[in-house]
């Protein structure tokens, strides 16, 4: 009996050495052909290889030096500028936040709604898959693709973006209360059609182009790929209708670097060069290709966020921008913004009254989630503008 336990003990002691031996043997056997293939691929497309090295260098820079999250909300409560009894003029704009679907970065590193055990079991295989995908993009010369950098939608994220489209297409606004109905009309881009008697039924003699009326809401998006794709997929029916009417200039997705995520991780860095249109990622559906080709406005896209700035600068710039009639015409009563969880949460913490306890200050908006509110603006005594999220509708 004792010899049996001794043999079992001896076998258990040799297992680590066996794993080490076979692991090393497999790694050395595979390494040489992989390195040779990599070298050939890189030499055949040197520009793409250089671009990938640039992205890697930028990633290291931001991981070590980025100050994006190093800011605090202003010490003075924004509500103090809007107290009753002041004679200051108050302007209002409806803002609707739409969070992007889950990204490939989220899928690899975040637990999400998975059970803890399932996440732990799948973590190492998930990382291996992600690294292999990144290597493939590298050797294939696909310089606009990355699993980690400016992470695109994952398979689950695409489903979440499609759920936005399904929700909007199936919504029965006639049964909604007035405020919710108005928000839904902003999302759908609904305006009474020209050439109608009841605002709904188009006369047979009126063409689709003649009946088309530009939406009174402006679509804007972060410059990160997952946000743009979520907007294109979620609002595809609205954008397709605009294009089919030949009025693409009247309803486009405006790319705003002000909405770029507040983080130093590579998934929050923009891969699309300044003023260049984003291209569909490997995970994006082909059905949105025409939207990317014709209905993306990049005039304000100045590229990746600066290393020296922090998130508060972009929050303030966004507030200023939505009230700028040279950028968002006064005919646009609402701004629909596709963006990111940390950016949205920081916005609520900064512009909701400090005395107000609200879940948006503590929790992240869910992937594919939508929230609407009224943003107020007033001019202070020194000529500076101040902003406040109206805590409740009046």
């Amino acid at each position: 009996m004792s010899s049996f336990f001794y043999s079992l003990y001896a076998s258990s002691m040799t297992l680590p050495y066996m794993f080490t031996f076979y692991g090393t043997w497999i790694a050395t056997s595979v390494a040489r052909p992989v390195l040779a293939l990599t070298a050939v691929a890189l030499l055949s497309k040197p520009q793409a290889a250089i671009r990938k090295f640039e992205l890697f260098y930028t990633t290291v820079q931001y991981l070590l030096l980025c100050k994006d999250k190093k800011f605090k909300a202003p010490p003075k409560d924004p509500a103090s500028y809007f107290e009753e009894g002041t004679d200051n003029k108050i302007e209002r704009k409806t803002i609707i936040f739409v969070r992007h679907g889950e990204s490939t970065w989220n899928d690899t590193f975040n637990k999400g709604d998975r059970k803890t055990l399932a996440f732990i079991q799948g973590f190492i295989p998930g990382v291996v898959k992600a690294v292999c995908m990144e290597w493939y993009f590298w050797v294939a010369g696909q310089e606009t693709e990355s699993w980690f950098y400016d992470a695109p939608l994952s398979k689950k994220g695409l489903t979440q973006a499609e759920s936005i489209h399904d929700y909007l297409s199936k919504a029965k606004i006639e049964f909604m209360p007035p405020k919710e109905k108005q928000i839904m009309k902003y999302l759908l881009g609904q305006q009474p059609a020209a050439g109608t008697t009841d605002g709904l039924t188009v006369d047979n003699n009126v063409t689709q182009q003649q009946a088309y009326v530009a939406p009174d809401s402006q679509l804007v998006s972060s410059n990160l790929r997952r946000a743009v794709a979520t907007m294109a997929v979620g609002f595809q029916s609205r954008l397709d209708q605009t294009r089919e009417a030949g009025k693409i200039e009247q309803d486009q997705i405006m790319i705003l670097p002000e909405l770029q995520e507040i983080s130093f991780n590579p998934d929050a860095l923009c891969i699309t060069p300044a003023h260049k249109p984003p291209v569909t990622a490997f995970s994006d559906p082909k059905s949105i290709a025409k939207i990317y080709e014709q209905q993306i406005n990049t005039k304000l896209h100045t590229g990746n966020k600066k290393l020296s700035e922090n998130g508060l600068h972009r929050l303030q710039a966004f507030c200023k921008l939505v009230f700028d009639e040279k950028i968002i015409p006064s005919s646009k009563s609402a701004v629909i913004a596709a963006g990111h969880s940390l950016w949205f949460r920081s916005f609520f913490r900064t512009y909701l009254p400090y005395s107000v306890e609200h879940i948006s200050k503590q929790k992240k908006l869910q992937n594919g989630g939508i929230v609407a509110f009224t943003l107020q603006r007033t001019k202070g005594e020194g000529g500076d503008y101040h902003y406040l999220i109206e805590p409740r509708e009046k």
Side-chain angles (χ1 to χ4, degrees):
M1 194 69 170
S2 59
S3 60
F4 169 76
F5 285 110
Y6 177 78
S7 300
L8 184 63
Y9 171 76
S11 299
S12 65
M13 291 298 292
T14 60
L15 283 176
Y17 298 100
M18 291 175 61
F19 280 120
T20 302
F21 172 78
Y22 284 111
T24 304
W25 176 66
I26 292 172
T28 53
S29 300
V30 172
R32 188 171 297 176
V34 168
L35 290 173
L37 176 61
T38 301
V40 171
L42 297 182
L43 291 173
S44 64
K45 294 184 178 180
Q47 288 300 117
I50 291 172
R51 175 60 176 158
K52 284 293 184 180
F53 280 119
E54 289 175 348
L55 296 180
F56 178 76
Y57 174 70
T58 302
T59 296
V60 174
Q61 271 192 311
Y62 277 80
L63 285 173
L64 297 177
L65 304 174
C66 182
K67 300 178 180 179
D68 209 28
K69 299 175 73 173
K70 295 182 179 180
F71 70 92
K72 295 181 180 180
K76 191 169 182 180
D77 190 332
S80 63
Y81 299 103
F82 296 81
E83 294 175 349
E84 294 185 8
T86 60
D87 297 328
N88 295 340
K89 176 185 176 183
I90 297 178
E91 303 170 82
R92 291 176 172 83
K93 180 79 74 171
T94 298
I95 308 295
I96 304 173
F97 284 163
V98 180
R99 188 186 173 192
H100 64 81
E102 181 193 70
S103 70
T104 52
W105 176 277
N106 298 146
D107 179 58
T108 303
F109 295 108
N110 295 353
K111 175 176 173 289
D113 56 4
R114 288 173 287 188
K115 293 183 178 179
T116 302
L117 181 59
F119 173 68
I120 293 173
Q121 289 176 333
F123 181 74
I124 298 300
V127 171
V128 172
K129 174 187 174 182
V131 171
C132 289
M133 288 293 293
E134 196 67 45
W135 175 80
Y136 168 75
F137 295 142
W138 188 35
V139 298
Q142 298 185 24
E143 59 185 281
T144 62
E145 290 289 12
S146 177
W147 187 277
F148 300 119
Y149 198 102
D150 195 353
L153 292 176
S154 66
K155 183 178 180 180
K156 179 180 178 181
L158 177 58
T159 300
Q160 291 167 334
E162 290 171 340
S163 70
I164 296 174
H165 179 271
D166 293 343
Y167 170 71
L168 296 179
S169 62
K170 296 176 182 178
K172 298 185 181 298
I173 64 173
E174 63 270 22
F175 301 116
M176 294 182 177
K179 291 178 182 177
E180 284 77 1
K181 182 183 291 186
Q182 183 58 63
I183 295 299
M184 187 59 65
K185 286 184 175 180
Y186 285 144
L187 290 167
L188 294 171
Q190 284 189 356
Q191 286 270 62
T196 66
T197 55
D198 59 2
L200 298 172
T201 307
V202 180
D203 190 283
N204 291 333
N205 296 322
V206 177
T207 66
Q208 182 181 11
Q209 186 172 5
Q210 292 171 330
Y212 179 83
V213 176
D216 58 351
S217 57
Q218 175 66 55
L219 301 177
V220 301
S221 173
S222 156
N223 53 5
L224 299 182
R225 295 185 295 169
R226 55 192 178 275
V228 181
T230 299
M231 180 69 83
V233 172
F235 294 83
Q236 184 174 353
S237 293
R238 165 178 167 168
L239 291 163
D240 286 349
Q241 181 183 9
T242 302
R243 189 176 62 256
E244 290 164 3
K247 303 284 187 179
I248 58 174
E249 73 284 350
Q250 296 189 21
D251 196 21
Q252 299 178 324
I253 302 173
M254 186 181 296
I255 304 300
L256 301 181
E258 290 81 2
L259 287 165
Q260 190 172 348
E261 178 63 308
I262 299 174
S263 173
F264 50 75
N265 290 329
D267 68 313
L269 302 179
C270 180
I271 203 170
T272 306
H275 306 297
K276 298 292 184 180
V279 296
T280 53
F282 67 93
S283 58
D284 294 339
K286 295 181 180 179
S287 60
I288 61 174
K290 288 187 177 180
I291 294 175
Y292 273 62
E293 293 170 5
Q294 302 179 35
Q295 292 172 275
I296 304 290
N297 185 334
T298 60
K299 290 182 179 179
L300 299 178
H301 172 45
T302 54
N304 194 34
K305 58 191 176 187
K306 296 179 180 178
L307 190 61
S308 59
E309 73 178 19
N310 62 46
L312 182 60
H313 297 150
R314 298 198 298 282
L315 301 180
Q316 295 169 333
F318 175 78
C319 290
K320 181 179 179 181
L321 184 146
V322 297
F323 285 98
D324 188 340
E325 294 185 2
K326 294 180 181 178
I327 298 174
I328 309 291
S330 58
S331 59
K332 304 290 187 181
S333 303
V335 174
I336 304 171
H340 310 274
S341 60
L342 296 179
W343 195 101
F344 289 157
R345 188 172 66 183
S346 297
F347 191 89
F348 289 122
R349 288 177 175 178
T350 303
Y351 295 110
L352 270 170
Y354 291 171
S355 60
V356 171
E357 295 293 332
H358 196 274
I359 191 172
S360 63
K361 291 183 176 182
Q362 306 301 327
K363 300 291 185 179
K364 296 178 180 180
L365 183 63
Q366 291 185 345
N367 291 111
I370 300 174
V371 62
F373 57 90
T374 299
L375 185 65
Q376 300 177 336
R377 180 175 84 160
T378 191
K379 184 179 286 189
E381 295 180 356
D384 295 329
Y385 284 107
H386 305 284
Y387 304 92
L388 174 72
I389 296 174
E390 196 168 270
R392 61 180 180 276
E393 296 292 341
K394 298 179 180 180

